[in-house]
Amino acid sequence: MAALLLVGASALQCRHEAATRTARERLWQSTGATARHSEAASRARRDLDPEASRVSLARLLVGESFDTSGLAKLPPAEAAAEARRIDERLALAAAEARAAWRRRPSSYEAPMALGGARLLLAWHSRNEALYRDLDVWRAPLQQAIRLAPGNPAPRRLLATAYLIAWEALSDRDRAAARALLREAFHDPDTLVQLLPAWAALAGSWSALEAVLPPGPRPYELLQQADLRAQDWAGYCAARHRWLPLVVREQQQRLAEAEERLAGGDEHGARETLLAVAAAAPPDRRTLELFDRAIEALPPGPVGGSRADALAGWLRWALPLWQLGQPTLPAPVLARVASLAAELPPEQAALAALAAGDLARGELWERREQRLWSEEWAPYAAAKAELLLARGHLDEAAATLEQVHHSYRQRWPYLRARERLAAARGESQPAPAPQATAWGAEAWRYHGNEATLELLAARAAPGLALAVDLAPPEGSVAELVWDGVTVGCFPLGTGTTLRLALRVTAGPHLLIWRPLAPARVAPGAVTLAGGDAGL
């Protein structure tokens, strides 16, 4: 008799489980979740725990309801019908999550889904309960945080809820929200997802920065958000704060690498040193940092994006070196040239000269046999200078004869020609043309970046730079003066940028670097202190 009862109970349990599973499948299908989330539906079908299936469905319905951007693409009637269906699914999600939470009080997922569903229902309906009774959605989310303190998802959802209800929060609730954001933003995914919304609500830079984690990453994200929003002033403000933090972060990593080297961890030190060298933006303010990283770097290959970053330092240093300005030490230049893979031959040859290695430069020259060409003109002028310094006047003269005609009005060529004449005791040729103003045609383009090599006739307290071309919505560019980043500037066609710089009489290099995809172009440049003023 007992055996019969056991068999009957077992059969009854199996029928109950089958009925429950069938009811679960129908519920998933009725919401459309089976079609939209087939893998999750398949997992829920196999799950023996019905409460896990409830929570899984509730979380999916809440998660997809946060994005209602598709409604704007529908005709009004269809959009209204779909909005009603979303709210129906949210009500179902709240009921399922509440039922699962009663049966599984230790589950953090159930209260998280319940709080999210209640929040979205109140938000979509513009219900005052969203603001009047925060605990309707806040209490379940806070309980989810307590149940899973190490999981960032409940904290992220509560932070999202606070941002949605921000305008109606009391001062006390805003203080609690800021404390939560300060903690939540240590999670990288939460920072990516919520920082733009917080930036829009913060109201001031001091309030915005009060909750940010240390380091440059938040300011990278703010630049990306401002770029998408075409907020050029906000973009420049974020970029202004970003560079010093990059330098500080890389200084800390350099110190860490040097400690590893001292402790015998050569492999770990090399990886960190390479990361530091690749992350340091080419600039005089990061020159010492980069120099130390390269000098300490153990031998080994460099490839990919890191080799490209090292090549960027050569592109920064070599034009300045040709103007007689100090850049990287010769051994560092030589090391960087050897590590930066796939350098153009003319750049590798010029780097060899800058490092004082004429023989290596000539090796590249003999391989290519293009000393006469336009791309080899900077090398030819630099080689003539080096030959003059070594007293090889005839070879220097022969090299200058091969400099491409397009380069013969450039200061490095004119200086070499003057020095050759002086060394031979010949009458001086016409001096390099000094000026106080330069037209838009004086700019030279390399991709979307433009450089202006100018020979100032006098000292000045700055420059006036006209913007020749910018889109109607504006854009943004960065300016670099003699290897130092001057700053980031919002652009508009016909506007004039006033740059407070220390200009000395002599050669200088100004770089125009667009920071947005739009087509922009610099115009005329004038020394301040004349008619243009500053």
Side-chain angles (χ1 to χ4, degrees):
M1 185 68 179
L4 289 173
L5 287 173
L6 287 172
V7 170
S10 177
L12 185 62
Q13 182 178 359
C14 288
R15 285 197 296 273
H16 174 71
E17 290 177 354
T20 300
R21 189 175 296 110
T22 300
R24 294 283 96 210
E25 289 181 13
R26 288 174 179 167
L27 191 60
W28 276 73
Q29 290 171 355
S30 69
T31 63
T34 301
R36 294 192 302 274
H37 307 283
S38 57
E39 290 185 11
S42 179
R43 286 194 300 270
R45 194 181 303 116
R46 296 191 300 269
D47 200 325
L48 298 178
D49 183 1
E51 305 311 321
S53 175
R54 284 179 187 273
V55 173
S56 178
L57 177 60
R59 286 194 65 176
L60 284 172
L61 294 177
V62 170
E64 65 184 14
S65 298
F66 270 97
D67 183 9
T68 58
S69 58
L71 296 180
K73 302 174 184 177
L74 299 174
E78 291 182 31
E82 180 58 24
R84 287 192 295 272
R85 286 191 289 269
I86 289 174
D87 285 349
E88 289 169 2
R89 293 196 289 266
L90 283 171
L92 174 63
E96 292 291 291
R98 186 169 56 250
W101 194 14
R102 283 199 300 268
R103 291 173 175 81
R104 298 287 188 274
S106 62
S107 166
Y108 81 91
E109 293 180 299
M112 184 173 74
L114 176 60
R118 286 175 172 174
L119 167 75
L120 290 175
L121 278 169
W123 186 30
H124 292 173
S125 64
R126 301 295 186 265
N127 194 324
E128 289 184 5
L130 173 66
Y131 314 113
R132 187 178 61 250
D133 189 4
L134 274 62
D135 282 336
V136 168
W137 47 264
R138 181 170 59 185
L141 293 175
Q142 288 175 331
Q143 179 63 13
I145 293 172
R146 285 191 288 269
L147 290 169
N151 190 315
R155 194 171 286 106
R156 183 186 309 141
L157 187 52
L158 181 55
T160 302
Y162 275 134
L163 293 176
I164 289 172
W166 184 263
E167 295 301 331
L169 294 182
S170 66
D171 290 344
R172 181 178 178 181
D173 289 328
R174 287 189 177 188
R178 281 190 285 266
L180 179 71
L181 284 169
R182 190 177 297 111
E183 187 177 358
F185 278 160
H186 284 277
D187 172 60
D189 290 338
T190 302
L191 186 68
V192 169
Q193 293 177 34
L194 299 187
L195 180 55
W198 170 240
L201 291 170
S204 69
W205 272 101
S206 59
L208 170 61
E209 293 178 301
V211 303
L212 296 184
R217 178 60 175 162
Y219 298 93
E220 293 175 16
L221 296 172
L222 288 170
Q223 288 177 73
Q224 295 168 15
D226 289 330
L227 196 62
R228 290 191 296 270
Q230 297 182 345
D231 178 2
W232 311 123
Y235 179 94
C236 287
R239 193 167 184 85
H240 175 73
R241 289 164 169 80
W242 166 79
L243 182 57
L245 293 173
V246 170
V247 175
R248 188 181 309 162
E249 181 180 68
Q250 298 313 315
Q251 286 171 337
Q252 293 168 351
R253 298 184 73 186
L254 178 60
E256 174 194 327
E258 290 172 338
E259 287 180 8
R260 288 187 172 187
L261 271 181
D265 181 10
E266 187 171 292
H267 176 77
R270 186 176 192 278
E271 184 64 24
T272 304
L273 288 167
L274 267 180
V276 169
D283 190 281
R284 290 202 184 279
R285 286 169 291 189
T286 56
L287 191 60
E288 181 184 356
L289 174 75
F290 182 79
D291 184 5
R292 284 172 56 192
I294 294 298
E295 285 187 343
L297 184 66
V302 179
S305 60
R306 287 177 171 174
D308 292 339
L310 297 185
W313 272 92
L314 291 179
R315 290 190 294 272
W316 173 86
L318 294 177
L320 294 170
W321 173 76
Q322 286 206 276
L323 295 182
Q325 298 191 20
T327 58
L328 294 166
V332 174
L333 276 169
R335 184 84 191 280
V336 172
S338 69
L339 293 171
E342 305 299 327
L343 282 179
E346 66 276 9
Q347 192 175 75
L350 184 58
L353 295 188
D357 192 345
L358 177 59
R360 185 167 183 80
E362 288 182 328
L363 178 61
W364 282 104
E365 176 191 337
R366 286 193 297 272
R367 284 180 183 176
E368 299 299 313
Q369 295 291 316
R370 290 180 60 80
L371 190 62
W372 50 267
S373 65
E374 185 174 3
E375 66 269 21
W376 278 82
Y379 166 84
K383 179 184 176 182
E385 283 272 16
L386 197 55
L387 290 169
L388 282 169
R390 298 183 180 189
H392 304 311
L393 304 189
D394 292 341
E395 290 180 55
T399 301
L400 281 177
E401 283 297 319
Q402 296 196 63
V403 171
H404 193 271
H405 66 86
S406 65
Y407 199 78
R408 294 193 177 191
Q409 292 303 311
R410 301 278 293 275
W411 188 79
Y413 170 83
L414 296 172
R415 178 185 60 178
R417 189 185 63 171
E418 289 176 10
R419 289 181 176 176
L420 176 62
R424 284 179 162 178
E426 299 172 349
S427 59
Q428 284 289 320
Q434 298 180 329
T436 59
W438 299 264
E441 72 284 353
W443 290 91
R444 294 179 175 86
Y445 286 84
H446 313 274
N448 66 342
E449 189 172 288
T451 60
L452 175 63
E453 186 182 290
L454 56 92
L455 187 58
R458 58 173 174 82
L463 301 172
L465 167 59
V467 178
D468 261 15
L469 179 66
E473 65 275 13
S475 191
V476 66
E478 191 169 64
L479 295 174
V480 182
W481 173 255
D482 286 345
V484 179
T485 301
V486 177
C488 168
F489 297 89
L491 305 177
T493 300
T495 60
T496 298
L497 306 180
R498 310 287 180 178
L499 311 178
L501 302 168
R502 180 176 175 270
V503 182
T504 58
H508 298 278
L509 189 68
L510 180 61
I511 299 176
W512 164 283
R513 184 178 295 147
L515 298 174
R519 185 169 170 238
V520 293
V525 174
T526 308
L527 292 183
D531 294 338
L534 180 65

